[in-house]
Amino acid sequence: MEETSSAGARRPGRKIGRRRRRLYWTVALLIAAGLAGAAVIVAVRRAHRTEMYKTGEDLAAITRQLDLGIPAEAPKLRFTNVTQEAGLSAFRAFAGRRTSQLPEDMGSGAAWGDFDNDGDDDLLLVSAGGPLGAPEAGRARTVLYENRGDGTFTESAAFPETRIIGMGAAWGDVDGDGWLDLVVTGYGTTRLYRNDRGRLSRDPHFPDLPGFWSGAACADYDHDGDLDLYICGYVRYKEAANEAGRATQQYGQAVPFTLNPASFEPERNLLFRNDGRGRFEEVAHKLGVDNLEGRSLSALWHDFDDDGWVDLYVANDISDNALLMNRGGGRFEEMSHAAWVADYRGAMGLAAGDWNRDGDDDLFITHWMAQENALYDNLLRDFADSPDHPKGTLRFQDVADQRGLGQIALQSVGWGTEFGDFDADGWLDLVVANGSTFETEQEPKELRPQESFLFWNNRGKSFHDLAPLDPAVGAAHVSRGMALADYDNDGDLDILIVDRDGPVRLLRNDMQTGNWLEVRLVRAAGVIEGTRLAATVPGVVLRRSVSSASYLSQSTRTVHFGLGPASRIDKLVVRWTGAGSDTYEALEANAIWEIREGDPLPRKVRGGPGVALSLGTGAEPIDAWSRTAPREQVVAFWRAQRAAMNAVKSENDPAKAIPLFEEALRLNPQHEDSVFYLASCLAATGKVDGALARLAELMRANPMSHRARQRWGTLRARTARSPADLDEAVRVLERAEAINPEETGVRQVLGEIALVRGDRKTARRHLERVVRTNVKGVGGLYLLAYLDWKAGDTSHATVLLKKAREKSGPDGKPSGATSEGDVQRAMHEDQTLLSRFYAVWDGSSDADRAFRALDTYLAESRF
């Protein structure tokens, strides 16, 4: 445009030079870019910054970065609340109004156990009673519910009237009579109930002790063959209802003085050592496991370093937890800080299991609000080959945040917890019962409910909480105790939660889709706690242990394996506490197996999802006798039986065991195990006629005893003096095969008998069946190779010999061929006609050399 001067003359307008204009644009663009960059940086920092968590704050912003969604392959969570239809809805854990005192709010637990030996888990529900000032008659009752075997429970009259301010419970056979006894704890309560053939009564020699007693755990820590008891002490509480309005600080939060455990001194813990006759000596201080500085709520006996001795982990509130490593001989070493599991937070519940399938057992701990829960990954295998750590170094690392278990729990107070494979995909899932310790604002003041968690294990990579998808599991309650059991014997793990604000919840599992297998363990002395099991399925070894802590609770002693698509367990190794191990092969899936220590033949009950099973213990004659025999006679029998089994298993002294088994049978003539193992000992010491007579006695008493017929037929064939003896052996062995056609030991012996008789066609038929069924049928492969060699097919005989060598042990000797089970002992006790030839075979694939001695023997055979 043009401007006009005052003189009216026009002059051109001022223009910015091209260079200056370019400079201005450049500066403007740089400023704009800088502002945009700053805005991006601020946004990124806001999105990714980590802020301190404040109690009660909305978790959405904190967990947003962790919320990746539930994977598409996650199973559908399906649990059904069957509390009412199961007959448990009448139980209440608390009666009356709170007075805001600590013992009223800590809650109570539950314990599963087969107290009546009828083959299913019964349920002890502990009541927290009621207000401290209420009369005993006004408290809620602790109740024993008998499992009726049809999915329902009925209150048992076998348990006396009990109204206590209760907390924990645990079943265990403390006197070795074959019946589960019961320990119950609480405020001013330490009780032992003796089980007299299905009826429970208080032991007067185990009186209530003054104190605030919480979790209870049973184990044979000293390997003397009996159960010892560990009882947690919480705080030295002083009743002061008038102090309830006085505020104190607990982790930065205002709570009433009477609800803050820090207001009170810690209580000592107790370890009751069993003297072998069911009497106890308290030795915690003597052994250094009284945990004087801890306010203890839960204790877990578990062998974390795989040395065969159960270690002790104690969960403490507002103080360091304690890991006490069992060094044997009654020696414990405090390793909490050295193993990196001192865990200074407020700990309540405990669970152990190999969640990532790396070959060692890990530890999960529930905590108070704002502290996250902890998943301590066991690094034992990681350090196995480390030059910086000696062999057996035990270290843990908390990986809860990395696996999705940490921040999600910030707003929750966790209590009962357990590992369990709920969908049977072969990976251990995790359940946590939550419930606040904060009071509501309105009167009367109650505790605030919270949602529980059920974390699905995504193949060891991460955990995902599925509970919000199923109100039966995720509904908000003031939960405390929690325990798992397959209460309806349908092959999956069900959940029992004790809610402080109502009835319990029995949640039936309807989500299991994979194959499964359950193991029930039977031992002469009754001590199965601490037993470790390793199941081999294609590509992996699954570890399980008989141990339980949760919170104030005890889960089933039946061991559950989820197998995914596997149709069987190829090998199961059972490592008994304080003793040796037993090995079993080719256990069919979708069945419950009963395994007795030292018995090479497991007992199977077929079943599947949706099929209720009615199981006996496999010891009905024992139970029939023990229900009528005097208690002193029952205890004396088990003492003799246990000593005899120890002579066989631990001392390998069959001569010593014989009079002990005979003493046991004088007390209980109907006991099958005593008869069977007495016969084995007689055979091992050369008393063949006596062994055959005892086995014949067992066959008459139990015509369906496969093991008696197999042992009799094998022994008769091995010591045969005439063709008639072999005919008799074949007849008995064929009956044994009809009873259990899947067991290959009988086929092996029948094949060898046919070979001795010169019937090579029949021998081949039996032996081919052996090697098809038994992947470690070394004897079958060896003898089939011999048959090929005799038929002139030396090349194929060499191939079979090489296969047999591959299946043999590291020294070239067969690891067993006569039967599944503890094959090393079977080779010793149950040698077959020809086992001496393949037992001494040096692994050579030179057929002439491998078969020279066998061929000479068969050529000279008188049969």
Side-chain angles (χ1 to χ4, degrees):
M1 65 180 288
E2 292 182 341
E3 294 181 356
T4 304
S5 67
S6 57
R10 292 182 179 180
R11 57 188 176 101
R14 296 178 180 174
K15 294 184 179 180
I16 300 173
R18 183 178 299 173
R19 183 177 297 173
R20 184 175 293 178
R21 187 166 60 249
R22 187 177 299 156
L23 176 63
Y24 287 167
W25 277 108
T26 301
V27 172
L29 289 172
L30 289 173
I31 292 172
L35 291 173
V40 171
I41 291 172
V42 170
V44 170
R45 286 183 175 177
R46 284 182 176 175
H48 293 278
R49 69 184 177 185
T50 300
E51 296 188 9
M52 294 295 294
Y53 174 76
K54 302 178 183 64
T55 303
E57 183 180 350
D58 184 6
L59 271 178
I62 298 176
T63 60
R64 187 175 296 118
Q65 66 192 53
L66 299 176
D67 186 13
L68 304 178
I70 296 174
E73 62 269 24
K76 183 177 180 181
L77 188 64
R78 292 197 305 270
F79 279 83
T80 304
N81 190 329
V82 295
T83 308
Q84 184 169 357
E85 63 191 72
L88 301 176
S89 58
F91 178 82
R92 290 296 184 276
F94 193 86
R97 291 180 55 177
R98 300 173 57 253
T99 62
S100 296
Q101 299 199 70
L102 193 59
E104 300 170 353
D105 291 355
M106 297 308 293
S108 55
W112 292 100
D114 184 9
F115 86 95
D116 52 5
N117 282 350
D118 66 350
D120 46 39
D121 278 321
D122 308 296
L123 179 62
L124 190 282
L125 294 177
V126 183
S127 170
L132 291 190
E136 181 177 327
R139 298 172 184 164
R141 292 183 303 120
T142 292
V143 182
L144 174 61
Y145 285 95
E146 180 183 350
N147 191 334
R148 300 176 64 183
D150 59 359
T152 66
F153 296 81
T154 184
E155 186 175 331
S156 175
F159 185 68
E161 175 89 359
T162 302
R163 297 178 183 270
I164 56 175
I165 300 174
M167 290 196 74
W171 295 98
D173 183 6
V174 300
D175 50 12
D177 66 351
W179 298 83
L180 289 177
D181 307 299
L182 176 67
V183 181
V184 178
T185 67
Y187 184 61
T189 299
T190 50
R191 297 188 180 183
L192 173 61
Y193 293 88
R194 300 279 185 166
N195 189 342
D196 185 6
R197 297 185 289 275
R199 297 199 66 85
L200 293 144
S201 58
R202 281 192 65 185
D203 183 346
H205 302 289
F206 204 94
D208 287 333
L209 294 176
F212 193 170
W213 311 108
S214 49
C218 305
D220 180 14
Y221 78 89
D222 50 2
H223 287 187
D224 63 352
D226 49 46
L227 274 184
D228 311 296
L229 311 176
Y230 192 82
I231 295 179
C232 295
Y234 189 34
V235 298
R236 297 180 182 177
Y237 188 76
K238 297 178 182 179
E239 297 182 25
N242 59 335
E243 297 278 2
R246 177 181 164 192
T248 59
Q249 293 293 310
Q250 184 179 3
Y251 294 110
Q253 298 299 309
V255 298
F257 177 88
T258 52
L259 293 180
N260 190 348
S263 303
F264 309 98
E265 294 296 317
E267 181 59 88
R268 72 195 188 282
N269 294 351
L270 309 172
L271 175 57
F272 292 95
R273 182 183 180 277
N274 196 330
D275 69 355
R277 298 176 180 270
R279 300 293 178 89
F280 296 91
E281 175 191 4
E282 206 287 295
V283 296
H285 183 70
K286 182 192 302 183
L287 300 184
V289 297
D290 46 353
N291 195 220
L292 292 175
E293 297 179 0
R295 296 168 175 85
S296 303
L297 288 172
S298 299
L300 172 66
W301 291 104
H302 199 90
D303 183 8
F304 286 107
D305 57 357
D306 276 348
D307 66 350
W309 296 84
V310 287
D311 310 304
L312 178 62
Y313 191 83
V314 182
N316 292 324
D317 196 3
I318 63 171
S319 52
D320 288 356
N321 290 352
L323 174 61
L324 302 156
M325 299 303 295
N326 190 344
R327 302 307 186 194
R331 296 181 300 108
F332 289 87
E333 181 181 3
E334 214 284 340
M335 292 287 289
S336 315
H337 290 275
W340 307 339
V341 285
D343 196 83
Y344 56 89
R345 295 165 280 189
M348 274 78 82
L350 299 173
D354 186 9
W355 66 275
N356 52 2
R357 304 201 317 199
D358 66 348
D360 45 39
D361 288 349
D362 312 297
L363 176 66
F364 182 78
I365 307 174
T366 59
H367 290 126
W368 199 71
M369 185 177 289
Q371 298 177 1
E372 301 188 353
N373 294 331
L375 177 61
Y376 283 106
D377 186 27
N378 191 337
L379 306 179
L380 183 66
R381 294 294 179 268
D382 302 68
F383 288 152
D385 300 319
S386 171
D388 299 325
H389 298 84
K391 184 178 180 180
T393 296
L394 187 63
R395 299 285 188 274
F396 293 84
Q397 180 182 6
D398 187 0
V399 297
D401 265 343
Q402 301 172 29
R403 306 301 177 184
L405 299 174
Q407 294 190 39
I408 193 173
L410 281 172
Q411 274 194 322
S412 301
V413 181
W415 303 89
T417 183
E418 280 283 14
F419 284 107
D421 189 355
F422 296 110
D423 58 347
D425 65 349
W427 296 87
L428 287 174
D429 309 305
L430 183 65
V431 61
V432 179
N434 295 321
S436 181
T437 56
F438 288 139
E439 298 178 320
T440 59
E441 299 298 329
Q442 69 274 15
E443 294 289 345
K445 290 188 176 182
E446 298 295 342
L447 299 176
R448 301 175 189 175
Q450 293 181 332
E451 295 85 3
S452 292
F453 300 133
L454 194 149
F455 294 104
W456 172 67
N457 185 346
N458 185 13
R459 303 183 65 81
K461 296 178 292 187
S462 57
F463 286 90
H464 300 269
D465 180 25
L466 306 183
L469 306 179
D470 188 343
V473 180
H477 287 278
V478 183
S479 301
R480 293 295 188 262
M482 189 275 299
L484 306 181
D486 180 12
Y487 81 94
D488 49 3
N489 284 333
D490 66 349
D492 53 32
L493 288 172
D494 310 297
I495 303 173
L496 189 286
I497 301 177
V498 181
D499 292 327
R500 169 66 175 68
D501 58 343
V504 298
R505 279 179 291 159
L506 178 60
L507 308 177
R508 188 187 67 213
N509 186 349
D510 297 320
M511 70 178 289
Q512 180 165 276
T513 55
N515 291 324
W516 57 274
L517 185 145
E518 290 183 348
V519 177
R520 295 189 173 189
L521 300 168
V522 181
R523 204 173 183 191
V527 180
I528 66 170
E529 288 75 5
T531 300
R532 297 166 294 159
L533 299 91
T536 301
V537 296
V540 71
V541 175
L542 305 175
R543 294 166 53 93
R544 300 290 187 270
S545 295
V546 183
S547 64
S548 180
S550 186
Y551 173 74
L552 308 178
S553 301
Q554 183 184 54
S555 293
T556 181
R557 291 148 49 104
T558 297
V559 181
H560 175 271
F561 289 94
L563 304 180
S567 60
R568 70 177 188 179
I569 287 178
D570 293 331
K571 181 172 73 171
L572 178 68
V573 179
V574 181
R575 297 181 176 89
W576 304 94
T577 299
S581 63
D582 291 320
T583 302
Y584 304 89
E585 296 179 351
L587 298 183
E588 179 183 330
N590 302 324
I592 300 176
W593 292 83
E594 180 186 275
I595 289 177
R596 290 174 172 267
E597 183 184 18
D599 190 342
L601 300 177
R603 302 176 185 181
K604 179 177 62 177
V605 178
R606 296 181 183 273
V611 180
L613 305 175
S614 179
L615 297 181
T617 63
E620 286 77 8
I622 304 173
D623 292 344
W625 169 78
S626 60
R627 289 179 188 277
T628 56
R631 182 178 180 82
E632 295 76 12
Q633 187 175 345
V634 174
V635 173
F637 160 76
W638 282 111
R639 188 175 298 121
Q641 168 73 3
R642 181 171 63 189
M645 291 301 297
N646 183 68
V648 172
K649 296 281 291 180
S650 300
E651 302 176 29
N652 194 25
D653 190 346
K656 178 180 177 181
I658 288 173
L660 293 169
F661 279 125
E662 290 173 340
E663 172 63 20
L665 287 169
R666 278 194 291 271
L667 295 163
N668 178 8
Q670 303 176 24
H671 192 262
E672 290 190 14
D673 280 355
S674 295
V675 176
F676 180 79
Y677 288 109
L678 173 57
S680 299
C681 292
L682 290 169
T685 55
K687 301 174 182 177
V688 175
D689 291 341
L692 291 171
R694 285 291 187 172
L695 291 169
E697 172 189 329
L698 181 52
M699 288 189 289
R700 286 192 297 271
N702 181 5
M704 296 301 290
S705 177
H706 175 278
R707 61 177 177 171
R709 292 181 181 277
Q710 179 182 6
R711 184 64 58 87
W712 193 97
T714 302
L715 188 59
R716 176 78 290 171
R718 199 184 79 196
T719 59
R721 301 182 180 89
S722 66
D725 287 345
L726 286 182
D727 289 340
E728 195 174 13
V730 168
R731 188 184 73 252
V732 173
L733 289 167
E734 287 177 342
R735 175 57 180 151
E737 184 185 31
I739 294 172
N740 183 4
E742 297 180 3
E743 207 285 319
T744 60
V746 171
R747 284 273 184 177
Q748 179 75 29
V749 180
L750 288 171
E752 294 183 17
I753 292 174
L755 196 54
V756 167
R757 286 176 155 175
D759 186 353
R760 295 176 186 172
K761 181 178 179 180
T762 300
R764 183 178 292 277
R765 175 170 54 85
H766 285 304
L767 295 170
E768 286 179 345
R769 173 72 177 273
V770 169
V771 299
R772 281 198 304 269
T773 306
N774 184 359
V775 295
K776 286 194 174 181
V778 177
L781 287 168
Y782 175 89
L783 295 178
L784 283 173
Y786 170 78
L787 289 171
D788 284 343
W789 178 69
K790 289 297 289 184
D793 192 350
T794 303
S795 61
H796 193 253
T798 301
V799 170
L800 291 180
L801 283 174
K802 289 180 178 179
K803 286 185 178 181
R805 176 66 180 85
E806 292 172 0
K807 303 295 184 183
S808 301
D811 59 353
K813 302 296 179 61
S815 58
T818 59
S819 64
E820 290 84 355
D822 189 339
V823 291
Q824 188 173 10
R825 287 188 177 83
M827 291 290 293
H828 170 72
E829 297 177 354
D830 204 18
Q831 292 178 348
T832 62
L833 287 78
L834 306 179
S835 61
R836 62 185 180 276
F837 296 103
Y838 49 81
V840 299
W841 169 53
D842 62 2
S844 170
S845 57
D846 181 339
D848 291 337
R849 175 181 170 186
F851 301 129
R852 186 180 302 119
L854 172 63
D855 193 50
T856 300
Y857 170 80
L858 293 177
E860 296 175 352
S861 174
R862 64 183 183 279
F863 300 116

